[in-house]
Amino acid sequence: MNRKTLVLPAVISLLTPVLAACGSSDGGSGGDAIVVGTTDGFTASSDTPAPLDPAYAYDVGTWNVLRQTVQTLMTQPRGDGAPEPEAAESCRFTDTGNERYACTLREGLKFANGDPITAEDVKFSIDRARAIKADSGVFALLSTVQLVETKGDREVIFHLNGPDATFPFKLSTPVAGIVNSDDYDKKKLRDGFEVDGSGPYTLKAEVKDNEVTEIAFTKNPNYKGLLKPKNEEVVLRSFADADAMGAALEKGDIDLMTRAMTPEQIDKLSDTSSDDIDLIEASGLEIRYLGFNTNAPQVKTKAVRQAMAQLIDRASLVSKVYGTQAQPLYSLVPASITGHSNAFFNKYGEPSKAKAKATLTDAGINTPVKLTLNYTTDHYGAATKPEFEQLQKQLNDSGLFDVDIKGASWDKFQPAERDGEYAVFGYGWFPDYPDAETYLSPFLDKDNFLRLPYANNEIRGTLLPEARREADRLTASDSINDIQDIVAEDVPLLPLWQGNQYVAVRDDITGGEYALNSASSLQLWELGRGISG
């Protein structure tokens, strides 16, 4: 086994140009389909009838499907840096205040079925997502759009309701994907697992009992854009657990596996000598955190949340569950992102039972405080339960809390959280794009995707607009730091750790180092089949 560590550059300014990456990216096309394993599940239910509709989808698994099939005006590059035109030939702000953004479409764009794409299709797609306002909250990514205007067949103009230097990044996310009005109703979501777009691949899903078993991505002959697929077909196969996925890789039934591998699998792949499988490690922007329903009686008093922040030992948690595969996190913004500060460490310092007890006593809170920590059993990997067992132990060992933990499958967990059924819950976050703002607005702004009742007027009315205004992201850091300090004081969310990302790939597959970008998005077009050895 050969271990490769891919070191991506630090996230840089939105305006910094990106140099083309070099490497073994032309491993050839054709031949057998490349098979990629994942533990992500795709289920249609009464709560989530339209998991793959761009106006609804808002998790890393469904976005990884849509990024292959639904084209966006802009796209995120292999590594970090400014987004680049994809369906667009060019895009730019046309004013000095970052409030008017114009794009010109590439000539000859077509949907996969051959229908021509015009500026009206772009307007339809953006307006549709904004109008439906799906309960996933993904529409909030387009919250700064006031009006979409078209000029002729190829020009689209976005009039924004305030300065938003991050808007080009938002146009690279699947919610801004271009869809055909013949296939998608303007007023309602498209149920099931069909996706029709103009991306590099078309999609065919195999479904059993309303759950996808695998998805075949076939190269779209009508695709015209920035991306250059290096294969003819990729199959994404869902596994019930990481052990089954790992066994399939060892047997050669799949060519590559990605999230979510277990810490034990990663350690084994790191230590084992084999000529057949490479483990590729890259710095990741995934974070994990606890969220609070601040209207719930158990955690409504800020002192309870502050005491938890004072007690939890992140270093011990990471060491016992994830080892070297994660790092303690003291802010919602991870350490590799411009604008990060260690706000929680600055406020609470090292874990302290005495300080936590004083906080609760001063607020008149009787101890032990009874709580249930809720987590999802099947979305973030097998280590989630051990992680919550450690959190439970840390809090209960203090004598200040009486904590139970409770798991639920993702299709039950997500709707229950949105309906406010949980006082405390665990979530992960993969960034919409590599910028500090995407670790703050989705949680703290109006229409946040968690439906958190917490609302801070200074954050929403002043600091978030200021952070969006600055094209120079270093300049935006002052507002971003202030937001992080307020979050550390009020604790509507409690950051725990940030993790690396890993790909295990058989050695006859090329492009594995680019299979995931810095935002943990799958880039299946980068994969090719080369020569073993």
Side-chain angles (χ1 to χ4, degrees):
M1 197 287 304
N2 301 313
R3 177 175 178 145
K4 299 178 181 177
T5 301
L6 177 63
V7 181
L8 295 177
V11 177
I12 51 180
S13 164
L14 291 177
L15 300 184
T16 303
V18 180
L19 297 177
C22 301
S24 57
S25 60
D26 53 344
S29 59
D32 297 336
I34 296 170
V35 184
V36 174
T38 181
T39 59
D40 284 328
F42 309 97
T43 304
S45 67
S46 58
D47 291 318
T48 56
L52 296 182
D53 191 316
Y56 177 85
Y58 202 16
D59 65 72
V60 66
T62 53
W63 270 22
N64 279 339
V65 172
L66 293 174
R67 288 188 189 278
Q68 323 305 316
T69 51
V70 178
Q71 197 172 18
T72 49
L73 290 172
M74 305 291 286
T75 191
Q76 295 176 27
R78 277 178 167 181
D80 301 317
E84 301 170 306
E86 216 296 68
E89 177 180 278
S90 63
C91 289
R92 65 187 181 93
F93 283 106
T94 59
D95 65 335
T96 58
N98 294 334
E99 294 184 82
R100 189 176 186 273
Y101 195 73
C103 294
T104 301
L105 297 179
R106 294 178 186 267
E107 289 189 22
L109 284 178
K110 295 180 181 179
F111 288 108
N113 68 359
D115 289 350
I117 296 174
T118 69
E120 282 297 328
D121 294 302
V122 177
K123 175 177 169 59
F124 168 84
S125 304
I126 300 293
D127 286 347
R128 175 178 181 268
R130 294 170 60 223
I132 289 175
K133 290 190 174 182
D135 61 8
S136 66
V138 69
F139 69 91
L141 281 169
L142 304 173
S143 64
T144 55
V145 176
Q146 181 173 324
L147 175 70
V148 185
E149 177 188 3
T150 64
K151 287 190 175 180
D153 287 340
R154 294 178 56 209
E155 189 172 0
V156 186
I157 302 168
F158 298 92
H159 299 272
L160 307 183
N161 55 27
D164 186 0
T166 67
F167 189 67
F169 269 122
K170 293 171 181 174
L171 288 181
S172 74
T173 62
V175 70
I178 306 168
V179 297
N180 193 331
S181 59
D182 291 341
D183 300 312
Y184 292 83
D185 191 299
K186 184 175 184 177
K187 297 182 179 180
K188 66 180 182 179
L189 296 171
R190 182 180 183 179
D191 293 353
F193 300 104
E194 289 185 296
V195 179
D196 291 284
S198 58
Y201 296 97
T202 59
L203 172 157
K204 182 177 181 181
E206 291 191 11
V207 181
K208 182 179 180 180
D209 298 328
N210 291 322
E211 187 168 356
V212 171
T213 56
E214 68 177 38
I215 297 174
F217 296 99
T218 303
K219 191 175 179 180
N220 174 13
N222 286 321
Y223 170 71
K224 186 174 184 180
L226 181 70
L227 310 176
K228 301 188 185 308
K230 298 168 179 61
N231 57 70
E232 296 294 327
E233 184 178 11
V234 179
V235 172
L236 184 66
R237 187 169 297 164
S238 290
F239 289 86
D241 55 60
D243 289 338
M245 180 171 65
L249 183 69
E250 290 181 4
K251 289 168 59 180
D253 291 340
I254 64 175
D255 299 297
L256 180 150
M257 70 175 181
T258 177
R259 66 177 306 272
M261 289 182 265
T262 66
E264 293 78 14
Q265 282 178 318
I266 294 168
D267 286 341
K268 180 181 177 181
L269 287 167
S270 298
D271 296 337
T272 302
S273 178
S274 167
D275 292 330
D276 298 329
I277 299 173
D278 294 332
L279 179 69
I280 299 171
E281 174 185 350
S283 59
L285 300 180
E286 173 190 7
I287 69 168
R288 296 286 175 86
Y289 60 93
L290 294 178
F292 296 94
N293 175 358
T294 53
N295 284 343
Q298 307 95 309
V299 295
K300 188 172 185 178
T301 303
K302 180 169 65 173
V304 174
R305 308 191 301 269
Q306 290 178 326
M308 292 176 69
Q310 184 69 72
L311 282 172
I312 288 175
D313 187 337
R314 295 169 177 80
S316 176
L317 175 69
V318 168
S319 174
K320 290 179 178 179
V321 181
Y322 295 101
T324 60
Q325 298 156 28
Q327 301 84 42
L329 180 63
Y330 297 94
S331 168
L332 289 175
V333 180
S336 52
I337 293 282
T338 299
H340 162 82
S341 73
N342 287 316
F344 274 78
F345 188 85
N346 295 340
K347 179 168 179 61
Y348 299 100
E350 297 291 344
S352 170
K353 175 182 172 181
K355 290 181 180 179
K357 183 176 181 180
T359 297
L360 293 170
T361 300
D362 290 347
I365 303 295
N366 295 324
T367 59
V369 179
K370 290 185 67 66
L371 290 177
T372 298
L373 307 186
N374 297 273
Y375 66 94
T376 177
T377 57
D378 59 352
H379 193 67
Y380 298 118
T384 305
K385 183 178 181 181
E387 177 183 343
F388 273 74
E389 289 171 341
Q390 286 296 319
L391 290 170
Q392 179 188 34
K393 185 177 188 305
Q394 288 187 13
L395 293 169
N396 286 350
D397 283 354
S398 72
L400 301 174
F401 287 87
D402 180 5
V403 169
D404 290 325
I405 60 173
K406 185 176 181 180
S409 60
W410 182 245
D411 61 323
K412 301 290 191 301
F413 175 86
Q414 204 175 23
E417 183 279 314
R418 289 176 184 152
D419 289 342
E421 295 179 20
Y422 302 147
V424 189
F425 50 89
Y427 253 98
W429 181 250
F430 297 85
D432 301 327
Y433 43 88
D435 185 88
E437 194 259 355
T438 196
Y439 290 92
L440 301 172
S441 292
F443 305 104
L444 304 171
D445 209 353
K446 181 183 177 183
D447 296 322
N448 66 82
F449 91 103
L450 292 175
R451 295 188 181 177
L452 294 177
Y454 173 79
N456 181 284
N457 291 332
E458 183 180 5
I459 289 176
R460 291 186 179 182
T462 302
L463 296 176
L464 282 175
E466 285 179 355
R468 295 188 189 108
R469 181 177 298 121
E470 298 295 341
D472 181 348
R473 305 314 285 162
L474 286 173
T475 304
S477 294
D478 289 343
S479 300
I480 290 167
N481 286 337
D482 289 344
I483 294 171
Q484 291 170 88
D485 289 341
I486 292 172
V487 170
E489 167 66 29
D490 292 350
V491 200
L493 303 120
L494 178 53
L496 298 172
W497 57 266
Q498 69 180 85
N500 300 330
Q501 56 185 14
Y502 298 87
V503 169
V505 58
R506 299 193 70 83
D507 69 348
D508 63 333
I509 300 300
T510 61
E513 61 269 40
Y514 297 116
L516 291 173
N517 70 8
S518 63
S520 298
S521 297
L522 271 177
Q523 302 180 137
L524 298 181
W525 54 86
E526 295 284 1
L527 302 178
R529 192 175 292 280
I531 299 174
S532 180

